[in-house]
Amino acid sequence: MRAPRLLCVGALTYDTILRLDVLPSGAGKFLPSEAVQIAAGMAASAAASASRQGGQVWLWASVGNDAVGRDVIAQMEAERVDCSLVRRVEGGRSAIATILVDAAGERMIVPFYDSVTQADPDRLPPVDFSRFDAVLVDVRWPGAAAMALAQARECGIPAILDADIASRPVLDRLLPLASHVVASLPAARILCGPEVSAGSAVAILGERTGAFVAITDGANGTAFQHPSSNDVRHLPSPRVEAVDTLAAGDVFHGTFALGLAEGWDEERAIAVASAAAALKCLRFGGRLGAPTRAETLAFMQGST
């Protein structure tokens, strides 16, 4: 039996992650206790996570034709992610980010995306989308995301939107194209109002899009609704003492998308994705903490 095939579309960045006891509240010099530099970004981290979960994964992203771009591609390939579709832009700069993580696992993120490198593509990559079992996109390269979602819908495969914080026009552009919308609660509040609960946001976005909608709320779990149902359901997240929440959402999305690619129902995919994200939170280093499928299933069994 072949491995499920997943295409991830969006951000590929070079991240510097610094661990501090407390996040800075003002200007000054702060000495970290730990530091890593890795290839990351929403789509890339989801791709690496799905690969560790046993998927065959491709990444469609955009980098500058520079040393940083070559480095991040090499790191993704080391995770067994196929980067043959990654665009290399002459004169563009590859995306970078600095992330501070405190003792409680919370973080402060400062990314930079070059407008030249992230310009909309003029065409889809030269690949038959019907070879994929699912497509997952983020909001960081919206032109590519829109094209990929539309093509996935045309091929009749899950078209999954990782709806994280972005401008309202970007979110409004991508929402109608997705068969599955998995949004963070902060992103949902951009769309539905600053005080909306996860459950209410699920109902609002489900009615607006006709898609399967899930809203992730960290340790509070995930609310979700099928398009054929009026019932909003909830799955709790496993309780862990978080060391680093960075990339937990990306691990969730990559694992969830791979579950759909395997033919799982959405509830099962959410349960496994929640366990994978919780495990990641126990490990410092962003997406480097993404677990394997065996680790995830063992954790789920031990938590029951």
Side-chain angles (χ1 to χ4, degrees), residues 133-176:
D133 299 305
V135 171
L136 169 68
V137 311
D138 68 29
V139 294
R140 298 293 175 248
W141 194 18
M147 296 171 70
L149 289 173
Q151 188 65 23
R153 295 292 292 267
E154 186 174 320
C155 292
I157 58 177
I160 307 152
L161 171 61
D162 176 355
D164 202 0
I165 295 174
S167 70
R168 180 66 186 261
V170 166
L171 293 171
D172 285 339
R173 177 184 183 184
L174 298 179
L175 278 173

Side-chain angles (χ1 to χ4, degrees), residues 32-251:
S33 61
E34 201 168 351
V36 297
Q37 292 183 298
I38 58 168
M42 293 169 63
S45 295
S49 178
S51 178
R52 292 190 183 189
Q53 290 283 329
Q56 190 175 0
V57 187
W58 284 257
L59 177 64
W60 184 28
S62 185
V63 299
N65 191 15
D66 53 19
V68 172
R70 292 188 289 274
D71 189 5
V72 293
I73 287 172
Q75 289 190 44
M76 284 294 100
E77 290 175 338
E79 291 281 2
R80 295 178 291 108
V81 173
D82 189 315
C83 292
S84 60
L85 305 180
V86 173
R87 184 179 74 171
R88 306 183 192 212
V89 180
E90 288 292 342
R93 297 170 61 188
S94 296
I96 58 174
T98 297
I99 301 108
L100 307 181
V101 180
D102 70 11
E106 293 304 318
R107 73 273 193 203
M108 181 182 294
I109 305 173
V110 184
F112 170 76
Y113 293 94
D114 180 20
S115 60
V116 173
T117 305
Q118 298 304 126
D120 288 355
D122 56 9
R123 64 178 68 87
L124 287 164
V127 62
D128 180 2
F129 269 57
S130 66
R131 72 185 296 186
F132 303 122
D133 299 305
V135 171
L136 169 68
V137 311
D138 68 29
V139 294
R140 298 293 175 248
W141 194 18
M147 296 171 70
L149 289 173
Q151 188 65 23
R153 295 292 292 267
E154 186 174 320
C155 292
I157 58 177
I160 307 152
L161 171 61
D162 176 355
D164 202 0
I165 295 174
S167 70
R168 180 66 186 261
V170 166
L171 293 171
D172 285 339
R173 177 184 183 184
L174 298 179
L175 278 173
L177 302 174
S179 64
H180 294 73
V181 176
V182 184
S184 66
L185 183 57
R189 286 175 170 167
I190 293 172
L191 292 161
C192 304
E195 303 299 328
V196 74
S197 67
S200 296
V202 165
I204 293 167
L205 294 178
E207 184 176 0
R208 186 181 302 177
T209 65
F212 172 89
V213 176
I215 306 295
T216 60
D217 187 19
N220 295 319
T222 302
F224 64 97
Q225 182 182 49
H226 291 273
S228 58
S229 171
N230 291 323
D231 295 330
V232 175
R233 303 186 61 188
H234 178 268
L235 278 179
S237 294
R239 293 294 177 182
V240 297
E241 291 294 327
V243 171
D244 175 13
T245 60
L246 180 65
D250 305 327
V251 171

